[in-house]
Amino acid sequence: MEFVYTPKNLTPRIVSVRGSFNDWGQWYMRKTANGTWILRTCLKPGNYQYKFFIDGKWVKDMSKVDPTADGYADDGYGGKNAVKVVSGLSTLAIDFRPERPPYLSIADNRTVVRFQVGRGLIENATLVTSIGTFKMERQVWWSSGEVWRGEVPAVEPFEYYFTIQANGSSYEVFNSSNEPFFKFDGKDRFPQLQWVSTGVGYQIFPDRFYNGNRSNDALALDHDELILNQVSPGKPILSNWSDPITPLHCCHQYFGGDIAGITQKLDYLQSLGVTLIYLNPIFLSGSAHGYDTYDYYRLDPKFGTDEELRTFLNEAHKSGIRVIFDFVPDHTGIGHWAFIDVWKRGNQSPYWDWYFVKKWPFKLGDGSAYTGWWGIGSLPKLNTENPKVKEYLMNAALKWLDFGFDGFRVDVPNDLVNADEFFRELRAKVKAKHPDAYMVGEIWTLSPDWVDGSKFDSLMNYALGKDILLPYARGSLSGKATMNLLGKYYAAYGENVAAMGFNLVDSHDTSRVLTDLGGGKLGDKPDQEAIQRQKLLSALLYTLPGMPVTFQGDECAFLGDKSHYDEQRYPFQWEKCNGDMLRHYRSLAELRKSVPALTSSKILFYRTQGSVLSFFRGHNNEVLVIANNGGRSELELPEGTWKEIWPEKGKEFKESVEIPAVSLVVLERG
Ligand code: CA
């Protein structure tokens, strides 16, 4: 259903449509380039009356302004409402908003055009353009809707419309009655970072990965936050690598891991196919996790020297590994020099407006005296509306990109004061100088507005890994229920966005994946089923669009329960690595590297059946991935011959394939 308003001799600022379908509330219309206002929406069959509401005023007689109506009716106030009749057919309403990435994006150097429509309503669709006609495919679906996808194998200006077949008839889907063709100007406003899409990610928690330099270990103790804190003081601990967990484990028990240690383990990371390292915070801070920054411009000496950092980045780059840092603009630690100055001098401090102080003088750590992140006294919140604060923070991000980092992950972006404006500005500044820099936001939920081209390239996709793939791998979601969720996920994000996905299941902030899959706590021995389920989960992550990201040690089948002093952060016990799981991760990396379809942007659902779900990968649907979270199952194959390429190589199948219990199989069209 489409509402169209073409102003005759005025230039309205806001136009909405109010009618019996929305209880006469306001649905805002969108102004198109030629001045026409449009709203497309889906309505159930029925007769509806409505009026336009222009700059706060009702239109008196709709028959004079809306020739697209099916009729007009007395409004009871001496004017006329417009009437639209929605027959069964108009449930064919096409949802298409080409200004948004889910509907139009550039991925793999193709222009991808997609629309959404009610589930099972149309039989065929074609993308008709000024540079060719392209068959569309039913790409992904869920219980009530589906996405149709067409790709133009070029990025250049073109005009287009759709034809669809439904109920044996053909329909054309135009932009509007007076401007029938949609127009694409050929410009890519939200470029995909191909190096991310083809990559393999790995998260490192520096204090707990590897100790490469014993001489800096004790440096952690001299500036720990507990020493400064006047409300909850304490004493940090320096432990040996395999010492037991204490109650200070999450934050103030140090183990001596450092940058030099990561450099020494680059060969290991290379053997895992890693091309991107995400480092938890490494700048001067008062904790083992580093989220209470003291100085954004300075490497924490417990992690090493600038020289060691320089060496690490150079060696990593030589090994084909890029590195992103963790950026925490929402709050500082209490030891930040600006906060210390405020604490000492009150409103005489030039940094008074950097924070939100409620009473002064105060004690360091007193969360009632100033605003802290989530009320936490050790994390005073920054006033990110203050231009000086913005400049300080953004220049820090730029400094480290200039230094050699390849992007960053942002901690709790949605908590920032003035978040939207802050991240728009940050993106503009970063991309102007470092167009290839990867910007990832720590947003845990499906949030298309954060990845619309104005802020982040990707979110931390717990929405995919933790909310969809984990319950499937655990066996608590059927194939169909999982595909419904995946369908909504892929419908919500642009193809470029999904392909730049920072796809993780767990991290320093959650229990380990193997623990969540029933493997037990740190120190337990996981059973074979839990191991098998982690293998299934990681195989899904490595075969879906986007970059799989492994939290350090998951590849060794380590366990860790978050509720027990964040034991998922326990130091990497190198000699306890599970070789079977390690070989599995290595073979997944090898698979991704050797099969370009698996690092392409495109996914197309095949089918579900009981515990099985399956999807195609590659621009010609040349690879078929079949997952099974239950008992042994047989799946009918698409036409042709299919050759297994993982986990075994070479077996050929026609018509059907048997999928072993709790496993994943990758086939290639023969
Ligand atoms: Ca060390």
Side-chain angles (χ1 to χ4, degrees), residues 2-5 50 52 65-72 83-84 177:
E2 180 174 273
F3 296 95
V4 182
Y5 168 57
Y50 64 96
F52 294 144
V65 300
D66 187 5
T68 73
D70 298 313
Y72 306 93
V83 177
K84 287 228 186 202
S177 49

Side-chain angles (χ1 to χ4, degrees), residues 313-430:
L313 289 174
N314 286 344
E315 294 297 315
H317 289 160
K318 267 191 239 158
S319 313
I321 299 175
R322 305 199 202 201
V323 186
I324 67 174
F325 61 91
D326 210 322
F327 181 44
V328 191
D330 180 81
H331 48 265
T332 66
I334 49 175
H336 191 280
W337 47 265
F339 192 70
I340 293 288
D341 198 62
V342 167
W343 169 65
K344 283 185 183 156
R345 296 204 274 162
N347 61 12
Q348 296 307 300
S349 165
Y351 309 109
W352 178 254
D353 292 336
W354 283 37
Y355 296 94
F356 303 97
V357 181
K358 296 178 224 166
K359 61 177 190 220
W360 185 86
F362 57 77
K363 287 183 171 171
L364 286 172
D366 178 3
S368 69
Y370 45 87
T371 306
W373 178 71
W374 286 27
I376 300 172
S378 61
L379 303 175
K381 193 170 176 68
L382 279 165
N383 177 8
T384 41
E385 228 162 9
N386 180 334
K388 293 226 169 81
V389 174
K390 282 205 282 195
E391 196 189 343
Y392 169 73
L393 289 169
M394 291 187 193
N395 285 345
L398 289 169
K399 172 202 154 129
W400 293 110
L401 293 174
D402 291 347
F403 189 88
F405 282 92
D406 303 286
F408 51 85
R409 171 263 195 194
V410 174
D411 189 55
V412 298
N414 46 2
D415 290 339
L416 255 73
V417 177
N418 211 20
D420 190 74
E421 191 186 299
F422 184 91
F423 290 109
R424 282 172 192 274
E425 270 184 55
L426 180 64
R427 182 181 184 85
K429 285 206 163 93
V430 164

Side-chain angles (χ1 to χ4, degrees), residues 210-217 255-258 302:
Y210 190 62
N211 189 351
N213 181 354
R214 304 298 302 255
S215 73
N216 55 25
D217 295 2
F255 290 90
D258 49 34
K302 67 182 176 250

